[in-house]
Amino acid sequence: VYESRRESSLKIVEETERTRAKITEDLTLIEERLGELDAEKEELDKYRALDRERRCMEYAIYSLEQEDVVEQLDEIDIKREQLVIAVNARQEACAEFERQAADLEPEIRAAKQGLELLRLEREQLANEAEEHARARAQIESAIQDLEQDRASGRDSITELRRTVDDLNRDIRKRESELSRIESEYSKAIKAESALRERFDVADQQRKSLLQKQGRSGQFSSKRERDTWLNGEISRLELSIEQQRVQFEATEREQAEIQSRLASISTAMAETRARAEASVQQVSEMQARETQLREEKDVKISQRKDLWRKEARLETERSDLHEELKRAERSLGSTVDRATSEGLQALPAIRERLGLNGIHGPLFELFEVDETYRTCVEAIAGSSLFHVVVDSDETASKVLSELNRQKLGRLTFMPLNRLNPSATTYPGASDAIPMIERLVFNRRYQRAFQHVFGKTIICPSLDVGSGYARGMNLTAVTLEGDKVDRRGELMGGFVSRKGSRLEAAKSLAQIRARVQAADAQAKETLATLAVLDQEITGLHSTLQMLSARISQAGNDRSSTKQELKQLVKNEADSKAFGEGVSKSLATLKAQQRSAELELQALQNELQTPFARGITAEERQVLERLLVEVDAQASELAKLSSRR
């Protein structure tokens, strides 16, 4: 134990010696440093003395310079005040110029629109003038041709009229003569028929007597004669029967021809009536075509006017939409971007969701005199852009749509949730309730009471401070400086350029103009569409009418051909009927001759057998010979006359 402690003590002694040596060394260094510091102290004392002299000299110099600077600052302040006065005057002049420029902007836009419209109208009028010039040249050429034709055709027209008159007189004369000849022809035919009938009877009697006289030596007995006569009688009866059948067939053929002639006559009458109706119909359709073309020209002229009006409205709408964008940017520059996007999306959301409970931003719901505009903006602040709705349910729907489409942010004032407390105002002339200077619909009373209900307008902050503390109100001056019930003051310079209400009023006016222009353009387009449909309908009707006129012309040509064919058929049928009538007359004469011969044979069969003819029959034969010759001569004369 002793040894271990002795070793520990020795170690401690050694450590102590080392520490002592170190301390000695440190003391030596400290003494050296103290010597250096003493030297530096002496130098510092010298420096302080010199620095004090330097500062005294600098102070003297700075003092002189300060006096010069103060004098210069005084001069600068004087100049600044003068410049402030000049700047204020120039700002007022600039504001006046801006107001004048703003007043002149509508006139400038109107003038530009007028120039653009005049340019468009000039182009349209130039095109119309070119078309009219071409049409005029064509019309003048046609007029010259017509005048030449009229000059050259005047004599021919007179000659043709004279020829037509001569032809009409000749036609009337020949028609009268034809009527007379037809009457005489009919009488001659009747007389010839009667004479031919008598001639046939007399000639048959003559032939019978001559035949009887010729066959008198042919028979040796009455029986032989009677046998031959009976055979002849049978032959004649058979021949008469055949002639009767042929006569009946010819009569049927004649009846068919008469029926055919009646049908042809009826068809001709119908065809003539159809031709006359076709002429009348073509005349009516041509008159209708002229009327429709005039109506179409009127509507085309109206459409051109509407085109010009549409171009003018399109130019106005384009300018108004540009102006609307500028107004929206101007109003949007007074609020944050999210609120601006929300306000721009609000009308589309209202229309898409069909929400009638969205009344609009607060600034759209009231009007205020320009005198109170600055103080109203100072009190309302961002509340001007709060959206008034009928209920919180409507606000929730709009908020959901804004979030869904990421269209910005809006603050809503649901009327069913606003319950502003009643406010007592001081009955003094220097404390005007702000809400009384606003013009708005009383259905939004809660919203305006919520924003402006506890504000009064005072002539100065000193007056307003007393009312604010005493009646728990917010007082504001016309310049926009305000003091609240806690005594906080807020105010300063307000630029007229950044007026939110002015931008909102301008935006509302431009929107109204845009809506009016859009409605007018829509109405014009609707009228144009109706006119286009009417013109298209008229064009289709004219095409159909032209086709019908062309078809009527073709029908008229075919009707003429049909009438010509019917006339030919009538002439052929009449010629064939005359042949049939002649055949019928011939058959009738042959039948009558056969009947007379049969009667003569039957009479001869009843007489006693004798050779030759009797004296009485001879006398009759001689008389008949004379009569037949006379009648043949008379028939020849009648036939020649006929």
Side-chain angles (χ1 to χ4, degrees):
V1 174
Y2 172 78
E3 290 295 331
S4 61
R5 290 191 175 187
R6 184 174 174 273
E7 290 179 359
S8 297
S9 299
L10 290 175
K11 288 180 180 179
I12 293 171
V13 170
E14 291 176 358
E15 183 69 29
T16 303
E17 288 294 335
R18 285 196 298 272
T19 304
R20 181 180 177 184
K22 183 78 180 290
I23 291 171
T24 303
E25 184 180 354
D26 290 337
L27 287 173
T28 303
L29 292 174
I30 289 171
E31 288 176 354
E32 291 177 356
R33 181 61 180 163
L34 285 174
E36 291 175 357
L37 288 174
D38 290 337
E40 289 177 358
K41 179 180 178 183
E42 292 176 358
E43 291 178 358
L44 182 61
D45 290 338
K46 292 178 181 179
Y47 172 78
R48 284 177 179 174
L50 293 174
D51 184 61
R52 197 163 32 251
E53 292 178 1
R54 181 184 61 80
R55 281 187 291 173
C56 290
M57 293 177 69
E58 284 181 352
Y59 176 78
I61 294 170
Y62 290 157
S63 178
L64 292 175
E65 290 178 353
Q66 183 180 7
E67 290 177 357
D68 293 337
V69 169
V70 169
E71 291 178 358
Q72 292 176 2
L73 285 175
D74 292 337
E75 293 177 358
I76 290 172
D77 285 337
I78 294 171
K79 291 180 180 179
R80 185 186 64 80
E81 291 177 357
Q82 293 175 351
L83 288 174
V84 166
I85 296 172
V87 167
N88 290 334
R90 290 179 181 179
Q91 285 181 346
E92 292 178 359
C94 184
E96 181 64 26
F97 289 150
E98 288 178 352
R99 283 194 295 271
Q100 293 178 2
D103 295 337
L104 289 174
E105 277 184 1
E107 298 180 5
I108 294 171
R109 287 193 297 271
K112 289 182 178 179
Q113 292 174 2
L115 286 173
E116 182 65 20
L117 293 175
L118 287 175
R119 185 185 64 79
L120 295 174
E121 189 171 358
R122 184 183 64 182
E123 292 178 356
Q124 294 176 355
L125 290 176
N127 294 332
E128 292 180 3
E130 186 176 354
E131 294 177 359
H132 291 164
R134 286 197 297 267
R136 180 179 179 181
Q138 293 175 357
I139 292 171
E140 287 178 352
S141 176
I143 289 173
Q144 290 178 359
D145 294 340
L146 289 173
E147 287 179 351
Q148 292 175 359
D149 293 341
R150 183 178 63 180
S152 61
R154 189 179 293 112
D155 297 336
S156 60
I157 290 173
T158 305
E159 184 65 26
L160 287 173
R161 286 178 178 173
R162 188 182 300 109
T163 303
V164 169
D165 293 338
D166 294 341
L167 288 174
N168 287 332
R169 285 194 298 271
D170 189 41
I171 288 170
R172 286 193 295 271
K173 180 179 178 182
R174 291 184 181 278
E175 285 179 349
S176 177
E177 185 177 355
L178 178 62
S179 177
R180 180 182 60 78
I181 290 173
E182 285 179 349
S183 177
E184 292 179 357
Y185 178 79
S186 178
K187 291 178 182 179
I189 288 293
K190 289 180 180 179
E192 184 179 357
S193 298
L195 183 59
R196 184 170 294 281
E197 186 175 354
R198 292 196 305 272
F199 172 78
D200 290 341
V201 172
D203 187 56
Q204 185 60 41
Q205 289 177 354
R206 180 182 64 80
K207 288 180 181 179
S208 297
L209 289 174
L210 288 174
Q211 289 174 358
K212 183 179 181 181
Q213 184 180 4
R215 65 175 176 267
S216 59
Q218 184 179 355
F219 307 109
S220 58
S221 64
K222 182 177 184 304
R223 181 177 180 181
E224 187 179 355
R225 186 201 68 176
D226 290 346
T227 300
W228 184 85
L229 287 174
N230 285 328
E232 289 296 319
I233 288 171
S234 298
R235 182 183 62 79
L236 285 173
E237 286 179 347
L238 180 60
S239 177
I240 289 170
E241 181 64 24
Q242 291 175 350
Q243 289 176 354
R244 185 184 63 77
V245 172
Q246 188 176 1
F247 184 78
E248 290 178 354
T250 306
E251 279 186 336
R252 286 195 299 273
E253 187 176 1
Q254 186 182 33
E256 290 176 0
I257 291 172
Q258 294 296 328
S259 176
R260 190 182 307 123
L261 284 172
S263 299
I264 290 173
S265 178
T266 303
M268 287 175 65
E270 292 177 354
T271 304
R272 286 193 179 96
R274 195 164 64 250
E276 292 176 358
S278 177
V279 172
Q280 181 67 24
Q281 185 180 8
V282 168
S283 177
E284 291 177 355
M285 286 192 294
Q286 287 175 344
R288 176 62 177 165
E289 184 182 21
T290 303
Q291 179 184 357
L292 289 176
R293 288 190 184 281
E294 292 177 355
E295 186 176 350
K296 181 182 176 182
D297 292 339
V298 171
K299 290 190 179 297
I300 288 175
S301 178
Q302 292 176 354
R303 185 172 65 178
K304 289 180 180 179
D305 294 339
L306 285 176
W307 280 344
R308 286 193 287 269
K309 183 178 179 181
E310 182 192 9
R312 176 175 59 81
L313 289 175
E314 189 63 30
T315 304
E316 291 180 358
R317 287 178 65 238
S318 177
D319 294 339
L320 284 174
H321 280 286
E322 288 296 326
E323 191 175 351
L324 178 62
K325 290 179 181 179
R326 288 195 298 269
E328 288 177 347
R329 287 195 298 268
S330 176
L331 182 60
S333 64
T334 62
V335 295
D336 59 280
R337 181 177 178 181
T339 303
S340 177
E341 291 178 353
L343 290 175
Q344 290 180 4
L346 187 63
I349 294 175
R350 175 166 48 193
E351 183 177 356
R352 183 165 56 252
L353 299 181
L355 298 175
N356 296 325
I358 300 177
H359 304 303
L362 188 68
F363 67 81
E364 292 183 353
L365 304 180
F366 74 98
E367 293 182 1
V368 63
D369 189 81
E370 187 175 357
T371 306
Y372 305 102
R373 184 176 296 165
T374 303
C375 60
V376 168
E377 288 185 19
I379 293 299
S382 60
S383 298
L384 286 173
F385 303 98
H386 292 180
V387 180
V388 179
V389 294
D390 57 349
S391 64
D392 51 352
E393 182 181 358
T394 302
S396 299
K397 292 180 180 179
V398 179
L399 285 174
S400 299
E401 189 69 14
L402 288 173
N403 290 326
R404 187 178 68 83
Q405 297 191 14
K406 298 179 180 179
L407 294 176
R409 299 178 62 82
L410 290 174
T411 302
F412 294 91
M413 290 194 293
L415 295 177
N416 65 332
R417 293 292 185 182
L418 297 178
N419 293 304
S421 59
T423 304
T424 302
Y425 299 105
S429 60
D430 56 356
I432 303 172
M434 178 172 285
I435 198 169
E436 294 181 359
R437 293 296 181 261
L438 306 179
V439 179
F440 57 90
N441 192 325
R442 292 303 162 185
R443 63 187 296 190
Y444 311 127
Q445 177 72 32
R446 291 183 178 182
F448 285 97
Q449 191 70 33
H450 176 75
V451 177
F452 303 103
K454 291 186 175 296
T455 303
I456 57 174
I457 303 172
C458 298
S460 65
L461 288 179
D462 295 336
V463 176
S465 298
Y467 290 122
R469 290 191 300 270
M471 305 192 70
N472 196 23
L473 297 173
T474 298
V476 63
T477 64
L478 294 177
E479 291 77 17
D481 300 331
K482 65 179 180 179
V483 57
D484 60 13
R485 55 185 176 275
R486 295 188 299 272
E488 294 180 354
L489 298 175
M490 183 180 295
F493 174 74
V494 178
S495 176
R496 296 184 180 180
K497 292 183 178 180
S499 174
R500 294 178 173 181
L501 287 178
E502 181 66 25
K505 181 180 178 182
S506 176
L507 179 62
Q509 292 175 350
I510 294 173
R511 278 179 179 170
R513 290 167 59 194
V514 168
Q515 290 176 357
D518 289 342
Q520 194 173 4
K522 185 177 181 181
E523 182 182 358
T524 303
L525 288 175
T527 307
L528 264 176
V530 172
L531 266 180
D532 286 337
Q533 292 178 356
E534 292 178 353
I535 291 172
T536 303
L538 287 173
H539 183 68
S540 301
T541 305
L542 282 171
Q543 286 183 335
M544 293 172 59
L545 200 58
S546 178
R548 289 176 59 190
I549 291 173
S550 177
Q551 183 63 36
N554 296 333
D555 293 344
R556 186 179 177 186
S557 299
S558 62
T559 302
K560 287 182 179 180
Q561 290 296 119
E562 184 180 354
L563 185 61
K564 185 177 180 180
Q565 186 63 36
L566 287 173
V567 170
K568 183 177 180 301
N569 293 340
E570 184 183 30
D572 294 341
S573 297
K574 284 183 178 180
F576 187 70
E578 289 179 359
V580 171
S581 297
K582 289 180 180 180
S583 299
L584 195 62
T586 301
L587 287 172
K588 189 175 181 181
Q590 291 176 356
Q591 185 179 5
R592 188 165 55 250
S593 177
E595 288 175 351
L596 290 173
E597 185 178 358
L598 177 64
Q599 185 179 3
L601 290 175
Q602 288 175 348
N603 291 334
E604 184 179 355
L605 187 64
Q606 301 299 325
T607 60
F609 178 74
R611 295 186 179 277
I613 58 175
T614 62
E616 183 180 359
E617 289 176 342
R618 191 174 288 106
Q619 290 177 358
V620 170
L621 179 60
E622 292 175 355
R623 179 176 57 79
L624 288 174
L625 288 172
V626 175
E627 288 181 1
V628 166
D629 292 339
Q631 288 174 354
S633 177
E634 185 68 22
L635 276 174
K637 291 180 180 179
L638 286 175
S639 179
S640 176
R641 287 183 59 192
R642 177 172 61 80

